[in-house]
Each structure stands twice: as C-alpha cells, then as structure tokens.
Amino acid sequence: MTNDQPKTERQSIDSVQRFDELPLDESILAAIVRAEYEHPTPVQAGLIPYALRGGDVVGQAQTGTGKTAAFVIPLLDRVARMPRQRNPQGLILVPTRELAVQVRGEVVKLSHGQRVSCAALYGGKPLRGQIDKLERGVDIVVGTPGRVLDHIGRGTLRLNGLNVVVLDEADRMLDIGFRPDIEKILRRCPRERQTLLLSATVPPPIQRLARRYMQEATELNFCDTTVSADTIEQFYFTVDAERKFDLLDRLLKRESPQQAIVFCRTKRGTEKVYRRLSSRRKDVDCIHGDMQQRARDRVMAKFRERKLTILVATDVVGRGIDVSTVSHIINYDLPQFCDDYVHRVGRTGRMGREGVAYSFVTPEEGNELTRIEMRINRLLERQEIEGFEAVASAVKPEDTEEPAAEKKPAPKPGRRPPKRYRRAL
Ligand code: AMP
C-alpha cells in the first residue's frame, strides 16, 4: 500500500482503435466479435491496455460508456491465462442488485466459449442457491458488499485465490453507506492483487479509499464535463407540484416515447405515480427498493424485452439500468443530489443513440435547477405544452374573480447560474 498520489492521465486518443490490437486471449477476442462490439469505446480503448499491464487503475467513467466491458475484458484475460483453481480469481463489487445482474450478464456474454463460471451474490435472494453455486466452484464473483461479506463470514466465499478486485460505481457504493463493508472486504483480499476502481466522480472519500487500498494507481479520466451533450437533449418544465401528473400525462401523449423512465424521489411517490398511470395504460410498471427482488427482476426483464414502455423508478434502482432503447427520461421529481441527475439522464442516449430528458421543476425549486445546471455546465431549456397551464400564475387575472393586483406571481425558477458561478464555468 502506498500514500502516493495517483498518477492522473486524461486518456489520449492515440489509444487502440480495434480490439485485435490488444494482446487479448483468442477466446476473448472471439467472444467480443460474437457480442458484435466492433470498436472499443473510449473507456475501453483507454482502460484495457493499462489493466492488462496488471497495475491498479482509478477510472473516472459514467455508465453507458462501455465501462463494464472495460474491466470485464482484462479480468477474463487474466482468468484465461491463470491455472484453474477452486476459489474465485475475480471479485466485482457493485452498489445494487440490478447492477450485479447486469455485470454478470456482461461477464457471461464476453466469456462465451470459455470455461468461466460467474456467480452474482446479492441480497433478496436465498443464500442456499448462492452457496451451492460457490461450492461447485466459480471463477468470478459479482456482488453487493453486504451479501459478499455475509458469504465471507460464513466461510462460503474464500478470497485467497483473488487476483483482481473491481469496485464498480465506487462513489455510489460510498453514497449508500457501503464504505465499512468495502473496507472489511478489501482488508481480507490478498495483498498481491490488482484493484480497478470505477467511479463517475472521484471526491475525497474515493481518493482516500484509493490511497489506502490501491498501489500506485493510475488515474484515468473519461468523463466529459458535460453530460453526453451531443446525444441527449435536456429540457425542463416549470410546474406546480399538484399539476405534475397532468403534465406527465400530456407529455407522454405528445412524445409517445419508445421507452421512458419516470424518476421519482421516494418509494411512495413512485407507487402513486405508477398507480395513476396504470389506471390509464397497460404498458407501465414500477421498481423501487421496497419491492421483493423477484418482482424487481421480473419488471426489469419485461422492460428489457420492451413489453413495458414506461418504468416509474427511484434513483437507487434506476441508476444502474442499462437498456439502450430508453428514449426518454422524465424527472418527475428533481433528484436530491446533482450527481443523480447525471446518472438518471445517462440512462438514455446510450451508445450514441439519441435521447431526451425532461425535468419537472416546481416554482420553489429554482435553486435546485441552478445547482444541476452548474453540475452539468449547461443551461436547460424551458418548455411548455401548448394549452396546458402548468403553474397557477399562468391563470390569467381576467379568468379569476380576484383583482389582478392581489394575485401573487409564482416565483420563477432561477434561470441562470449566479454570476459568481458563471465566471467559474
Ligand atoms: P456500460 O457502460 O458498461 O453500462 O455499457 C453500455 C452498453 O454498451 C451495454 O449494453 C454494453 O453491452 C454495450 N457495449 C459495451 N461495449 C461496447 C462496444 N465496444 N461496442 C458496442 N456496444 C458496447
């Protein structure tokens, strides 16, 4: 372990253009072709060569950029070159169950034709099945920190054969309180190992984690300062809280999205919006942390198979959703944290497809909108739906019985970042 600052590099463009330029095992190259990945994405082109050299890497990258394959490919290459053993060689820690399932899917896809077995360990599923699988021997484990620690405590997961540890969406794992579990797990991993840390942001707690548990990590930054500005259009509506649902209804009718995720802040709010929507249309479902894992898996499968058009979701479960056909993100409630805005909006416009994001902003939320705009370094454009009065102040004075002078105009959301921030942008 070292206290050295990580070496920071912004990955240059002279990195590889084709997968077969990388010194990868033939079986992996074949699986990449089969997965129809023609060219490495920038994150893959930048990260894979470093990871193949065996050093520790802190990669700043958002979802939707191909970051999963960027760590799965070098991990599989390592597994292919090492003698087979009983205990796992790779451990991938992720913040949510959905992401665990998704990452396992990527491992399965990219290990086609290789004798690699992968187990996903996450809560909400009986331990028994997971224990049976571990006993039969697995090469790669993908799991949420709590459940992984549980298996370590029971002696059903042994870490002594680990060569590679991946911390995926590390910032999110710390946000939701997994730090102590992660540290406990890392302390039990062999010292001689490679650690890859992926995170959309690298705030000081992540830097501390990297300093404490990684060795001379190279830091690679693949994040644009803007959120996929080229492919995602972003708008907002000013709307009274009690008119949000009508606005949603109108917006969905106007847009007829291919697939949309409607983000709400709370589980109750998610349920409420879902119930109201489902009384009008059949192609809608919801997903949040209070639901049984099986129900969540079922909803996600239906959404992936495009049997659902609209998914109402909270941030924790919505964040990792990787469905490339999502055309619309609707922030029914603004997220509590600006970074969640980035993650929500990143659910659309994936792999270069076009996407659009609409945020509902109440007149009281002007400052929150401004904070988001500062975070993404971009002003959102205001929209209105013709003939729909989204805020009370839009009611013309002559339509009311009250004298115009007594009506208080609704405060307008702050449209531009305050001057002192504008200079810094
Ligand atoms: P991720 O950022 O890992 O969530 O990946 C987003 C999506 O991109 C996933 O559906 C991947 O299967 C897909 N993907 C990853 N790498 C490539 C690639 N090189 N070419 C095309 N699709 C890719």
Side-chain angles (χ1 to χ4, degrees), residues 62-65 227-228 232 234 261 263 318-319 321-323 326 329 339-351 357:
Q62 275 148 8
T63 46
T65 54
V227 187
S228 308
I232 304 172
Q234 297 167 66
I261 306 179
F263 278 103
R319 180 179 171 123
I321 293 172
D322 162 34
V323 178
V326 174
I329 295 299
D339 279 349
D340 280 331
Y341 178 87
V342 178
H343 287 289
R344 288 178 177 190
V345 168
R347 304 302 91 216
T348 186
R350 290 167 88 75
M351 302 310 295

Side-chain angles (χ1 to χ4, degrees), residues 131-408:
I131 293 172
D132 290 345
K133 180 134 203 206
L134 289 169
E135 274 172 2
R136 286 196 296 274
V138 297
D139 302 295
I140 296 172
V141 164
V142 186
T144 50
R147 185 49 76 96
V148 165
L149 203 55
D150 194 351
H151 279 285
I152 296 172
R154 288 165 192 272
T156 45
L157 173 61
R158 278 175 288 274
L159 306 182
N160 51 334
L162 283 182
N163 292 313
V164 183
V165 175
V166 180
L167 306 175
D168 189 19
E169 303 210 351
D171 50 352
R172 187 59 171 182
M173 290 201 281
L174 296 200
D175 279 356
I176 53 185
F178 277 138
R179 182 196 191 88
D181 287 356
I182 293 173
E183 295 205 27
K184 275 183 209 147
I185 295 167
L186 289 176
R187 280 199 290 268
R188 288 166 194 218
C189 292
R191 281 175 73 93
E192 282 303 310
R193 63 161 198 269
Q194 179 179 34
T195 311
L196 306 175
L197 182 152
L198 281 295
S199 197
T201 56
V202 185
I206 298 282
Q207 288 167 15
R208 279 197 294 276
L209 193 75
R211 276 203 297 274
R212 206 169 290 163
Y213 296 100
M214 298 174 76
Q215 304 206 27
E216 295 184 29
T218 300
E219 197 175 296
L220 303 172
N221 186 347
F222 305 100
C223 280
D224 289 336
T225 45
T226 53
V227 187
S228 308
D230 303 340
T231 54
I232 304 172
E233 289 187 279
Q234 297 167 66
F235 302 98
Y236 79 98
F237 290 97
T238 304
V239 57
D240 285 337
E242 59 276 15
R243 297 186 190 198
K244 279 187 184 180
F245 187 80
D246 291 335
L247 175 62
L248 176 66
D249 194 39
R250 299 274 191 128
L251 185 61
L252 290 172
K253 283 194 183 116
R254 186 186 82 178
E255 298 283 308
S256 341
Q258 175 171 284
Q259 278 193 302
I261 306 179
V262 177
F263 278 103
C264 298
R265 207 183 268 194
T266 63
K267 296 166 192 167
R268 268 187 63 199
T270 303
E271 280 282 347
K272 224 162 127 184
V273 170
Y274 160 66
R275 273 201 302 274
R276 292 185 72 182
L277 269 183
S278 60
S279 68
R280 292 164 196 231
R281 48 193 300 164
K282 291 279 152 278
D283 55 349
V284 53
D285 214 326
C286 73
I287 186 162
H288 57 71
D290 271 357
M291 288 163 60
Q292 294 280 331
Q293 187 57 37
R294 275 173 56 186
R296 283 162 62 168
D297 290 346
R298 223 176 14 243
V299 172
M300 273 318 298
K302 276 203 294 187
F303 194 58
R304 273 204 191 92
E305 291 160 18
R306 295 182 63 181
K307 290 184 184 148
L308 296 174
T309 309
I310 297 160
L311 183 64
V312 190
T314 52
D315 284 293
V316 170
V317 283
R319 180 179 171 123
I321 293 172
D322 162 34
V323 178
S324 55
T325 43
V326 174
S327 56
H328 287 64
I329 295 299
I330 300 174
N331 294 317
Y332 190 89
D333 300 315
L334 285 183
Q336 201 173 351
F337 305 107
C338 294
D339 279 349
D340 280 331
Y341 178 87
V342 178
H343 287 289
R344 288 178 177 190
V345 168
R347 304 302 91 216
T348 186
R350 290 167 88 75
M351 302 310 295
R353 284 196 178 86
E354 283 174 14
V356 57
Y358 293 101
S359 296
F360 293 3
V361 184
T362 65
E364 299 75 34
E365 288 176 324
N367 287 338
E368 284 166 49
L369 177 64
T370 302
R371 274 200 294 274
I372 288 170
E373 290 176 323
M374 282 170 357
R375 167 69 180 81
I376 63 173
N377 197 9
R378 169 174 169 175
L379 289 176
L380 303 193
E381 201 180 302
R382 182 170 171 177
Q383 273 211 353
E384 283 175 24
I385 290 200
E386 239 185 85
F388 178 70
E389 283 162 354
V391 281
S393 65
V395 178
K396 294 185 196 76
E398 60 267 30
D399 294 340
T400 71
E401 310 225 311
E402 292 171 61
E406 284 177 22
K407 276 207 70 85
K408 250 206 214 151

Side-chain angles (χ1 to χ4, degrees), residues 9 25-26 121 123 127 131 261:
E9 302 188 19
D25 192 85
E26 283 302 320
L121 309 179
L127 278 161
I131 293 172
I261 306 179

Side-chain angles (χ1 to χ4, degrees), residues 19 32 35-44 61-71 73 99 102-103 105-106 109-110 168-169 320-324 347 350-351 353:
F19 282 110
I32 292 172
E36 297 181 353
Y37 293 177
E38 284 177 22
H39 301 284
T41 66
V43 178
Q44 293 161 0
Q62 275 148 8
T63 46
T65 54
K67 75 169 164 61
T68 315
F71 61 76
I73 290 171
L99 200 55
Q102 213 166 284
V103 171
E106 196 77 6
K109 184 160 45 168
L110 293 169
D168 189 19
E169 303 210 351
I321 293 172
D322 162 34
V323 178
S324 55
R347 304 302 91 216
R350 290 167 88 75
M351 302 310 295
R353 284 196 178 86

